[in-house]
């Protein structure tokens, strides 16, 4: 292994740690939100600091590799991809934290019926699934898995699109639950954005492995 | 139009096959970097264009070498001294003559019979300015060239090559013995000179190839493995051997 290989391996280990941490955060925010568990919500809130610290550490390491090793070709694409994956993962961390805050800040547990009809839990399941797929794609350098992510995102989009009318109808018959309905719709929006962030990560993986730029391309 | 070009070019040192069927063309006013491991044939390839290989005993050359679309080997109308006026060369180690700074630059003019004093003076000044050396030597033109630092000597050799106004400049690792400041000056110079010259530079410094060149050619064991835009060679080379070489994992 060259010195650069050692540094790249270290960087890979760090971003894998970031994947794991953020996936954990998303899983816990699901538990906190669906089960209305303030204890877990506070844990997510606390761990958000670790996500931020790791993001800074990875940024710094990328900067050092650029400055000291002048990586080119696949090495260059790898470091560029890690840099962008890092910031996408950090945003997913923010989202998990944001969702957990609804639990900390809301008075009453969410209405079970509302959770069911909005399909918000399905979104959590899919978001966590996509995160674990994209980590697998990165780990095993598998662009087929990365490409599979784009379809999975369709489910998140679909639930998100239907959510407005579902919630509208619900509010008509449950006027006392407006505030929690708004929390749920916000969580749904955030989960939809999580799908987009994971898709960005998948695009970066394909860029680094195949040197193909998929950003802003509709046919992937 | 191609400024220089080789077609299916083979070169042998005796029985040793040093260049293997190289077909490559270079556009005018571009910088092309030749890279590859030691002994792959970069200097040999460079020397084709001013016919310096001809001096080496046992050399056999097959194929075409074209300058301005005219063959420079099988061409009775092209004398070697004429060719060398069009194609200047700068070597790895600065090799000033044991003469004054002024006479070093004037040398090529004098050999070519251009002796008119004011013309020579003007050309020497212009060349030294182009080589980014004028300010450092303008008050000591009569001093020996050996009194200059290595980086200054190298720029002097560049000025000497420029004085006869060639259209092609060949540079064989011109900055390999220089400190970062002199290296940066030479690289800036190459960038400036591109407006007037077509430049081919051999370099072992990958970052330098990236900084100065438009196209990069990767040679390996006498073969041209990949010839492409420099940014492609350093971001997404096609050949796995090129990738190994530029990322420092070769062999
Ligand atoms: N005068 C010569 N006689 C015999 N063989 C030679 C001669 N000059 C070069 N060679 C051989 O031809 C091959 C190419 O040499 P060349 O000098 O072109 O390599 P290069 O790529 O410039 O290497 P470097 O990076 O070390 O300068 C080498 O194997 C070398 O040994
Ligand atoms: Mg050489």
């Amino acid at each position: 292994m060259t010195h650069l290989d050692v540094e790249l391996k270290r960087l890979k280990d760090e971003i894998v740690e970031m994947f794991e941490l953020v996936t954990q955060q998303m899983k816990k925010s699901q538990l906190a939100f669906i089960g209305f568990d303030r204890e877990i919500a506070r844990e997510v809130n606390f761990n958000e600091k670790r996500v931020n610290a790791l993001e800074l550490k990875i940024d710094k390491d990328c900067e050092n590799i650029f400055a000291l090793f002048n990586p080119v070709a696949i090495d260059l694409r790898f470091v560029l991809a890690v840099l962008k994956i890092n910031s996408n993962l950090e945003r997913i961390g923010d989202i998990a934290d944001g969702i957990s805050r609804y639990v900390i800040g809301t008075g009453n547990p969410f209405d079970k019926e509302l959770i069911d009809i909005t399909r918000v839990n399905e979104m959590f399941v899919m978001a966590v699934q996509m995160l674990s797929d994209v980590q697998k794609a990165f780990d095993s350098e598998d662009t087929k898995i990365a490409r599979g992510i784009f379809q999975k995102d369709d489910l998140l989009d679909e639930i998100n699109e239907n959510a407005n009318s579902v919630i509208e109808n619900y509010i008509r018959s449950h006027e006392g639950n407006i505030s929690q309905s708004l929390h749920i719709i916000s969580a749904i929006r955030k989960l939809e954005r999580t799908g987009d962030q994971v898709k960005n990560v998948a695009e970066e993986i394909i860029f680094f492995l195949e040197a193909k730029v998929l950003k802003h391309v509709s046919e992937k | 139009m191609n400024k220089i070009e080789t077609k299916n070019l083979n070169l042998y040192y005796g029985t040793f096959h040093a260049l293997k069927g190289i077909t490559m063309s270079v556009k005018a006013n571009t910088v092309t970097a030749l890279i590859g491991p030691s002994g792959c044939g970069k200097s040999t390839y460079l020397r084709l264009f001013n016919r310096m290989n001809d001096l080496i005993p046992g050399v056999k050359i097959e194929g075409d070498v074209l300058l301005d679309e005219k063959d420079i080997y099988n061409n009775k109308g092209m004398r070697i001294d004429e060719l060398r006026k069009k194609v200047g060369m700068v070597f790895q180690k600065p090799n000033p003559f044991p003469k004054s700074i002024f006479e070093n630059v004037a040398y090529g003019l004098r050999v070519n019979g251009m002796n008119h004093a004011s013309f020579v003076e003007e050309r020497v000044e212009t060349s030294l300015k182009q080589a980014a050396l004028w300010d450092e030597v303008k008050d000591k033109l009569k001093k020996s060239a050996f009194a200059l630092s290595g980086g200054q000597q190298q720029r002097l050799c560049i000025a000497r090559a420029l004085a006869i106004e060639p259209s092609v400049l060949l540079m064989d690792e011109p900055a390999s013995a220089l400190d970062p400041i002199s290296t940066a000056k030479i690289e800036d110079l190459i960038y400036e000179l591109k407006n007037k010259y077509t430049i081919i530079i051999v370099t072992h410094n990958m970052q330098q190839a990236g900084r100065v060149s438009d196209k990069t050619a990767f040679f390996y064991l006498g073969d041209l493995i990949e010839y492409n835009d420099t940014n492609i060679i350093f971001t997404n080379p096609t050949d796995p051997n090129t990738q190994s070489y530029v990322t420092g994992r070769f062999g």
Side-chain angles (χ1 to χ4, degrees), chain A residues 81-106:
Chain A
V82 165
L83 197 60
K84 295 192 196 167
I85 289 172
N86 188 37
S87 91
N88 281 302
L89 290 177
E90 192 275 334
R91 284 201 206 121
I92 298 175
D94 278 348
I95 288 173
D97 181 45
I99 290 175
S100 298
R101 279 167 195 272
Y102 297 142
V103 179
I104 300 172
T106 307

PDB file of all heavy atoms in Angstrom, chain A residues 81-106:
ATOM      1  N   ALA A  81     -15.961  12.484  -4.242  1.00  0.00           N
ATOM      2  CA  ALA A  81     -17.225  11.820  -3.909  1.00  0.00           C
ATOM      3  C   ALA A  81     -17.415  11.785  -2.399  1.00  0.00           C
ATOM      4  O   ALA A  81     -18.503  12.088  -1.894  1.00  0.00           O
ATOM      5  CB  ALA A  81     -17.253  10.411  -4.495  1.00  0.00           C
ATOM      6  N   VAL A  82     -16.366  11.448  -1.664  1.00  0.00           N
ATOM      7  CA  VAL A  82     -16.471  11.381  -0.201  1.00  0.00           C
ATOM      8  C   VAL A  82     -16.881  12.744   0.356  1.00  0.00           C
ATOM      9  O   VAL A  82     -17.745  12.849   1.229  1.00  0.00           O
ATOM     10  CB  VAL A  82     -15.141  10.915   0.436  1.00  0.00           C
ATOM     11  CG1 VAL A  82     -15.125  11.189   1.937  1.00  0.00           C
ATOM     12  CG2 VAL A  82     -14.936   9.422   0.178  1.00  0.00           C
ATOM     13  N   LEU A  83     -16.283  13.785  -0.204  1.00  0.00           N
ATOM     14  CA  LEU A  83     -16.580  15.139   0.262  1.00  0.00           C
ATOM     15  C   LEU A  83     -18.080  15.437   0.117  1.00  0.00           C
ATOM     16  O   LEU A  83     -18.716  15.993   1.025  1.00  0.00           O
ATOM     17  CB  LEU A  83     -15.754  16.114  -0.580  1.00  0.00           C
ATOM     18  CG  LEU A  83     -15.554  17.521  -0.088  1.00  0.00           C
ATOM     19  CD1 LEU A  83     -14.849  17.532   1.259  1.00  0.00           C
ATOM     20  CD2 LEU A  83     -14.717  18.310  -1.093  1.00  0.00           C
ATOM     21  N   LYS A  84     -18.642  15.065  -1.004  1.00  0.00           N
ATOM     22  CA  LYS A  84     -20.064  15.363  -1.230  1.00  0.00           C
ATOM     23  C   LYS A  84     -20.976  14.397  -0.472  1.00  0.00           C
ATOM     24  O   LYS A  84     -22.011  14.804   0.054  1.00  0.00           O
ATOM     25  CB  LYS A  84     -20.374  15.317  -2.722  1.00  0.00           C
ATOM     26  CG  LYS A  84     -19.638  16.409  -3.479  1.00  0.00           C
ATOM     27  CD  LYS A  84     -20.183  16.524  -4.874  1.00  0.00           C
ATOM     28  CE  LYS A  84     -19.233  17.314  -5.753  1.00  0.00           C
ATOM     29  NZ  LYS A  84     -19.593  17.172  -7.155  1.00  0.00           N
ATOM     30  N   ILE A  85     -20.583  13.130  -0.422  1.00  0.00           N
ATOM     31  CA  ILE A  85     -21.376  12.152   0.337  1.00  0.00           C
ATOM     32  C   ILE A  85     -21.444  12.611   1.794  1.00  0.00           C
ATOM     33  O   ILE A  85     -22.497  12.576   2.440  1.00  0.00           O
ATOM     34  CB  ILE A  85     -20.748  10.744   0.228  1.00  0.00           C
ATOM     35  CG1 ILE A  85     -20.932  10.183  -1.184  1.00  0.00           C
ATOM     36  CG2 ILE A  85     -21.361   9.793   1.260  1.00  0.00           C
ATOM     37  CD1 ILE A  85     -20.182   8.884  -1.467  1.00  0.00           C
ATOM     38  N   ASN A  86     -20.308  13.079   2.276  1.00  0.00           N
ATOM     39  CA  ASN A  86     -20.227  13.563   3.654  1.00  0.00           C
ATOM     40  C   ASN A  86     -21.265  14.639   3.930  1.00  0.00           C
ATOM     41  O   ASN A  86     -21.994  14.581   4.917  1.00  0.00           O
ATOM     42  CB  ASN A  86     -18.801  14.100   3.882  1.00  0.00           C
ATOM     43  CG  ASN A  86     -18.518  14.463   5.318  1.00  0.00           C
ATOM     44  OD1 ASN A  86     -18.986  13.777   6.221  1.00  0.00           O
ATOM     45  ND2 ASN A  86     -17.752  15.521   5.528  1.00  0.00           N
ATOM     46  N   SER A  87     -21.369  15.602   3.018  1.00  0.00           N
ATOM     47  CA  SER A  87     -22.301  16.694   3.315  1.00  0.00           C
ATOM     48  C   SER A  87     -23.750  16.226   3.148  1.00  0.00           C
ATOM     49  O   SER A  87     -24.642  16.671   3.883  1.00  0.00           O
ATOM     50  CB  SER A  87     -21.958  17.942   2.506  1.00  0.00           C
ATOM     51  OG  SER A  87     -22.649  17.959   1.299  1.00  0.00           O
ATOM     52  N   ASN A  88     -24.001  15.290   2.214  1.00  0.00           N
ATOM     53  CA  ASN A  88     -25.354  14.728   2.111  1.00  0.00           C
ATOM     54  C   ASN A  88     -25.740  13.959   3.372  1.00  0.00           C
ATOM     55  O   ASN A  88     -26.861  14.077   3.864  1.00  0.00           O
ATOM     56  CB  ASN A  88     -25.463  13.804   0.894  1.00  0.00           C
ATOM     57  CG  ASN A  88     -25.633  14.592  -0.397  1.00  0.00           C
ATOM     58  OD1 ASN A  88     -26.568  15.356  -0.548  1.00  0.00           O
ATOM     59  ND2 ASN A  88     -24.698  14.439  -1.314  1.00  0.00           N
ATOM     60  N   LEU A  89     -24.791  13.182   3.893  1.00  0.00           N
ATOM     61  CA  LEU A  89     -25.098  12.402   5.094  1.00  0.00           C
ATOM     62  C   LEU A  89     -25.346  13.325   6.288  1.00  0.00           C
ATOM     63  O   LEU A  89     -26.237  13.089   7.103  1.00  0.00           O
ATOM     64  CB  LEU A  89     -23.956  11.421   5.403  1.00  0.00           C
ATOM     65  CG  LEU A  89     -23.801  10.251   4.416  1.00  0.00           C
ATOM     66  CD1 LEU A  89     -22.589   9.396   4.787  1.00  0.00           C
ATOM     67  CD2 LEU A  89     -25.061   9.389   4.369  1.00  0.00           C
ATOM     68  N   GLU A  90     -24.558  14.378   6.348  1.00  0.00           N
ATOM     69  CA  GLU A  90     -24.741  15.309   7.464  1.00  0.00           C
ATOM     70  C   GLU A  90     -26.143  15.907   7.436  1.00  0.00           C
ATOM     71  O   GLU A  90     -26.792  16.065   8.471  1.00  0.00           O
ATOM     72  CB  GLU A  90     -23.671  16.407   7.406  1.00  0.00           C
ATOM     73  CG  GLU A  90     -23.592  17.264   8.662  1.00  0.00           C
ATOM     74  CD  GLU A  90     -24.573  18.421   8.686  1.00  0.00           C
ATOM     75  OE1 GLU A  90     -24.967  18.884   7.574  1.00  0.00           O
ATOM     76  OE2 GLU A  90     -24.974  18.861   9.775  1.00  0.00           O
ATOM     77  N   ARG A  91     -26.640  16.195   6.217  1.00  0.00           N
ATOM     78  CA  ARG A  91     -27.998  16.744   6.118  1.00  0.00           C
ATOM     79  C   ARG A  91     -29.047  15.723   6.552  1.00  0.00           C
ATOM     80  O   ARG A  91     -30.051  16.087   7.162  1.00  0.00           O
ATOM     81  CB  ARG A  91     -28.283  17.217   4.694  1.00  0.00           C
ATOM     82  CG  ARG A  91     -27.577  18.522   4.477  1.00  0.00           C
ATOM     83  CD  ARG A  91     -28.158  19.329   3.350  1.00  0.00           C
ATOM     84  NE  ARG A  91     -27.057  20.167   2.895  1.00  0.00           N
ATOM     85  CZ  ARG A  91     -26.573  20.167   1.679  1.00  0.00           C
ATOM     86  NH1 ARG A  91     -27.132  19.431   0.743  1.00  0.00           N
ATOM     87  NH2 ARG A  91     -25.554  20.920   1.371  1.00  0.00           N
ATOM     88  N   ILE A  92     -28.797  14.472   6.220  1.00  0.00           N
ATOM     89  CA  ILE A  92     -29.737  13.436   6.680  1.00  0.00           C
ATOM     90  C   ILE A  92     -29.717  13.384   8.211  1.00  0.00           C
ATOM     91  O   ILE A  92     -30.757  13.229   8.855  1.00  0.00           O
ATOM     92  CB  ILE A  92     -29.385  12.061   6.059  1.00  0.00           C
ATOM     93  CG1 ILE A  92     -29.520  12.137   4.537  1.00  0.00           C
ATOM     94  CG2 ILE A  92     -30.294  10.966   6.621  1.00  0.00           C
ATOM     95  CD1 ILE A  92     -29.081  10.891   3.791  1.00  0.00           C
ATOM     96  N   GLY A  93     -28.534  13.556   8.776  1.00  0.00           N
ATOM     97  CA  GLY A  93     -28.424  13.642  10.236  1.00  0.00           C
ATOM     98  C   GLY A  93     -29.272  14.786  10.782  1.00  0.00           C
ATOM     99  O   GLY A  93     -30.011  14.624  11.758  1.00  0.00           O
ATOM    100  N   ASP A  94     -29.209  15.935  10.124  1.00  0.00           N
ATOM    101  CA  ASP A  94     -30.027  17.088  10.524  1.00  0.00           C
ATOM    102  C   ASP A  94     -31.507  16.747  10.490  1.00  0.00           C
ATOM    103  O   ASP A  94     -32.281  17.149  11.370  1.00  0.00           O
ATOM    104  CB  ASP A  94     -29.826  18.259   9.531  1.00  0.00           C
ATOM    105  CG  ASP A  94     -28.570  19.046   9.836  1.00  0.00           C
ATOM    106  OD1 ASP A  94     -27.992  18.836  10.920  1.00  0.00           O
ATOM    107  OD2 ASP A  94     -28.163  19.858   8.980  1.00  0.00           O
ATOM    108  N   ILE A  95     -31.888  16.027   9.423  1.00  0.00           N
ATOM    109  CA  ILE A  95     -33.300  15.673   9.261  1.00  0.00           C
ATOM    110  C   ILE A  95     -33.752  14.771  10.415  1.00  0.00           C
ATOM    111  O   ILE A  95     -34.812  15.000  11.019  1.00  0.00           O
ATOM    112  CB  ILE A  95     -33.515  14.990   7.888  1.00  0.00           C
ATOM    113  CG1 ILE A  95     -33.396  16.038   6.768  1.00  0.00           C
ATOM    114  CG2 ILE A  95     -34.872  14.280   7.841  1.00  0.00           C
ATOM    115  CD1 ILE A  95     -33.426  15.473   5.362  1.00  0.00           C
ATOM    116  N   ALA A  96     -32.934  13.769  10.722  1.00  0.00           N
ATOM    117  CA  ALA A  96     -33.291  12.860  11.820  1.00  0.00           C
ATOM    118  C   ALA A  96     -33.453  13.652  13.115  1.00  0.00           C
ATOM    119  O   ALA A  96     -34.402  13.440  13.893  1.00  0.00           O
ATOM    120  CB  ALA A  96     -32.207  11.791  11.980  1.00  0.00           C
ATOM    121  N   ASP A  97     -32.555  14.587  13.319  1.00  0.00           N
ATOM    122  CA  ASP A  97     -32.622  15.425  14.516  1.00  0.00           C
ATOM    123  C   ASP A  97     -33.895  16.278  14.507  1.00  0.00           C
ATOM    124  O   ASP A  97     -34.620  16.359  15.506  1.00  0.00           O
ATOM    125  CB  ASP A  97     -31.366  16.312  14.575  1.00  0.00           C
ATOM    126  CG  ASP A  97     -31.354  17.197  15.808  1.00  0.00           C
ATOM    127  OD1 ASP A  97     -31.652  16.677  16.899  1.00  0.00           O
ATOM    128  OD2 ASP A  97     -31.058  18.408  15.665  1.00  0.00           O
ATOM    129  N   GLY A  98     -34.176  16.873  13.355  1.00  0.00           N
ATOM    130  CA  GLY A  98     -35.364  17.725  13.219  1.00  0.00           C
ATOM    131  C   GLY A  98     -36.644  16.954  13.517  1.00  0.00           C
ATOM    132  O   GLY A  98     -37.537  17.459  14.218  1.00  0.00           O
ATOM    133  N   ILE A  99     -36.730  15.737  12.989  1.00  0.00           N
ATOM    134  CA  ILE A  99     -37.927  14.922  13.226  1.00  0.00           C
ATOM    135  C   ILE A  99     -38.066  14.600  14.724  1.00  0.00           C
ATOM    136  O   ILE A  99     -39.159  14.678  15.290  1.00  0.00           O
ATOM    137  CB  ILE A  99     -37.865  13.624  12.385  1.00  0.00           C
ATOM    138  CG1 ILE A  99     -38.030  13.972  10.893  1.00  0.00           C
ATOM    139  CG2 ILE A  99     -38.954  12.638  12.824  1.00  0.00           C
ATOM    140  CD1 ILE A  99     -37.856  12.794   9.950  1.00  0.00           C
ATOM    141  N   SER A 100     -36.951  14.281  15.351  1.00  0.00           N
ATOM    142  CA  SER A 100     -36.999  13.954  16.785  1.00  0.00           C
ATOM    143  C   SER A 100     -37.445  15.145  17.628  1.00  0.00           C
ATOM    144  O   SER A 100     -38.103  14.983  18.654  1.00  0.00           O
ATOM    145  CB  SER A 100     -35.628  13.485  17.265  1.00  0.00           C
ATOM    146  OG  SER A 100     -35.263  12.318  16.580  1.00  0.00           O
ATOM    147  N   ARG A 101     -37.082  16.330  17.179  1.00  0.00           N
ATOM    148  CA  ARG A 101     -37.473  17.527  17.929  1.00  0.00           C
ATOM    149  C   ARG A 101     -39.000  17.717  17.996  1.00  0.00           C
ATOM    150  O   ARG A 101     -39.513  18.278  18.959  1.00  0.00           O
ATOM    151  CB  ARG A 101     -36.846  18.782  17.313  1.00  0.00           C
ATOM    152  CG  ARG A 101     -35.416  18.981  17.733  1.00  0.00           C
ATOM    153  CD  ARG A 101     -34.749  20.037  16.875  1.00  0.00           C
ATOM    154  NE  ARG A 101     -33.308  19.984  17.041  1.00  0.00           N
ATOM    155  CZ  ARG A 101     -32.647  20.655  17.979  1.00  0.00           C
ATOM    156  NH1 ARG A 101     -33.305  21.418  18.832  1.00  0.00           N
ATOM    157  NH2 ARG A 101     -31.343  20.559  18.072  1.00  0.00           N
ATOM    158  N   TYR A 102     -39.709  17.237  16.937  1.00  0.00           N
ATOM    159  CA  TYR A 102     -41.173  17.332  16.999  1.00  0.00           C
ATOM    160  C   TYR A 102     -41.702  16.578  18.210  1.00  0.00           C
ATOM    161  O   TYR A 102     -42.687  16.976  18.827  1.00  0.00           O
ATOM    162  CB  TYR A 102     -41.823  16.752  15.739  1.00  0.00           C
ATOM    163  CG  TYR A 102     -41.472  17.486  14.464  1.00  0.00           C
ATOM    164  CD1 TYR A 102     -41.255  16.795  13.282  1.00  0.00           C
ATOM    165  CD2 TYR A 102     -41.378  18.880  14.450  1.00  0.00           C
ATOM    166  CE1 TYR A 102     -40.932  17.463  12.116  1.00  0.00           C
ATOM    167  CE2 TYR A 102     -41.058  19.547  13.289  1.00  0.00           C
ATOM    168  CZ  TYR A 102     -40.834  18.839  12.123  1.00  0.00           C
ATOM    169  OH  TYR A 102     -40.521  19.498  10.978  1.00  0.00           O
ATOM    170  N   VAL A 103     -41.035  15.447  18.505  1.00  0.00           N
ATOM    171  CA  VAL A 103     -41.486  14.624  19.629  1.00  0.00           C
ATOM    172  C   VAL A 103     -41.205  15.333  20.951  1.00  0.00           C
ATOM    173  O   VAL A 103     -42.043  15.373  21.847  1.00  0.00           O
ATOM    174  CB  VAL A 103     -40.796  13.244  19.591  1.00  0.00           C
ATOM    175  CG1 VAL A 103     -41.240  12.396  20.780  1.00  0.00           C
ATOM    176  CG2 VAL A 103     -41.102  12.532  18.280  1.00  0.00           C
ATOM    177  N   ILE A 104     -40.019  15.933  21.017  1.00  0.00           N
ATOM    178  CA  ILE A 104     -39.672  16.642  22.254  1.00  0.00           C
ATOM    179  C   ILE A 104     -40.605  17.848  22.455  1.00  0.00           C
ATOM    180  O   ILE A 104     -41.042  18.145  23.562  1.00  0.00           O
ATOM    181  CB  ILE A 104     -38.197  17.120  22.219  1.00  0.00           C
ATOM    182  CG1 ILE A 104     -37.268  15.902  22.072  1.00  0.00           C
ATOM    183  CG2 ILE A 104     -37.844  17.917  23.480  1.00  0.00           C
ATOM    184  CD1 ILE A 104     -35.815  16.232  21.823  1.00  0.00           C
ATOM    185  N   GLY A 105     -40.965  18.505  21.369  1.00  0.00           N
ATOM    186  CA  GLY A 105     -41.704  19.759  21.484  1.00  0.00           C
ATOM    187  C   GLY A 105     -43.224  19.625  21.496  1.00  0.00           C
ATOM    188  O   GLY A 105     -43.928  20.598  21.724  1.00  0.00           O
ATOM    189  N   THR A 106     -43.757  18.454  21.207  1.00  0.00           N
ATOM    190  CA  THR A 106     -45.206  18.297  21.100  1.00  0.00           C
ATOM    191  C   THR A 106     -45.791  17.754  22.394  1.00  0.00           C
ATOM    192  O   THR A 106     -45.188  16.880  23.020  1.00  0.00           O
ATOM    193  CB  THR A 106     -45.555  17.326  19.946  1.00  0.00           C
ATOM    194  OG1 THR A 106     -44.902  17.790  18.777  1.00  0.00           O
ATOM    195  CG2 THR A 106     -47.048  17.267  19.699  1.00  0.00           C
TER     196      THR A 106
END
